[in-house]
Amino acid sequence: MPVLETTAIPQQLPSPVPTVGRGPSHALPTARELVHKTQPSEVLVTDAARLGEDRFAVAALWPHDHLLYQPVAGGAADPTLLVETARQAAAHISHRFYDVPLRGMPFVLTTFEADIDAPGLPHAHAGALPVLLDAVCTRTTVSPGRLGLAMEVTFHIGGLRRGRARLRWEVMGERRYAILRGRRCPTPPPTPLPPSAPALPLPPHVVGRRRAADVLLAPPPGAEPDAWRLVLDRGHPVYFDHESDHIPGMVLLEAMRQAAHAATFAASGPAGSWSPLSLAVSFELFGALDAPVTVHAHRSPDPEASGHADFHLTATQFDRTLVRARLRGAAPSRRHAAEEAPAC
């Protein structure tokens, strides 16, 4: 799976999004159902306009203060905002422009790639931050009761390009979805696993979060290095905003981001702050909500040779891989880490 390169964009580069006719409005959030959200505070997309047969301008607002999406090291916006905005744009476009019904047609996300342009995503310091997406869709599957789409989207903030994303998903009828889910679920072992003791989540700062309630990782029962046990709170207002019959893909992706941060923290200490600059994710199986999941993070050798810390990550259940990912972030300086390490 290729790592997406980050590219510095000249500050004078204008946004290429056409402005012919009425553009999308940033005035109010779109209907929650169009982006598969329950809580109004979780809706980022506000509107969309068709620019061509399969090209769309999508407007979004990034909140100044959010329960989960807080600024990362250096004051940049949380990169997860870019990922979630692209996911919401995909749902919005599917329903509004490709006539996908709001009920009875489950969505299945298969791949997601994203990269952030230097120097990072700006954070909304006062009020919400307007974001404009230029999205181009390609129909990959068209058959009765089934639609496959791929989307390439460019993010523009203040007239400047700030990031890109590519994702693929399928929409299908409930019967076809039930068959697919049955085929793509890990099979439990014939002998039930013994109940495990309640897991104590890692401290929030180790995984790059501010609240203990947002931590998704705990040490595994054994002493396996660079491995963590997934901890799910199905009452979390962001991770489980709406009902799901499997572990949501965004939860698995966030768990991998936290694992990369935890691995960096273990190697570099308090100065080991890490935030993704690019990612490539492939969703392979549906994860059962009531079975243990282990997240593994393997750091690529000699990451500081290129100034980046690259991680290959997997989430497994019953020894089957649910998702694979490759994440790249800036490698913390060893000298900086030594200077900021606490005295013994």
Side-chain angles (χ1 to χ4, degrees), residues 155-173:
F155 288 75
H156 303 273
I157 302 174
L160 303 177
R161 191 178 76 181
R162 291 293 192 168
R164 291 156 288 183
R166 289 159 290 280
L167 56 158
R168 298 172 70 96
W169 70 99
E170 284 196 25
V171 188
M172 61 194 71

Side-chain angles (χ1 to χ4, degrees), residues 180-202:
L180 178 68
R181 191 179 182 283
R183 292 174 178 171
R184 295 188 182 178
C185 280
T187 303
T191 303
L193 297 173
S196 56
L200 184 63
L202 298 174

Side-chain angles (χ1 to χ4, degrees), residues 93-111:
I93 288 172
S94 297
H95 291 303
R96 185 169 171 185
F97 300 107
Y98 290 99
D99 300 323
V100 173
L102 290 173
R103 301 287 184 271
M105 294 287 286
F107 278 58
V108 178
L109 182 64
T110 55
T111 62

Side-chain angles (χ1 to χ4, degrees), residues 20 83 103 105 109 123 129 133 179 220 222 229 239 248 250 257 260 335:
V20 178
V83 177
R103 301 287 184 271
M105 294 287 286
L109 182 64
H123 173 62
L129 183 67
L133 287 66
I179 295 173
R229 179 178 171 184
Y239 296 146
M250 288 296 293
R257 189 203 67 80
R335 181 179 63 84

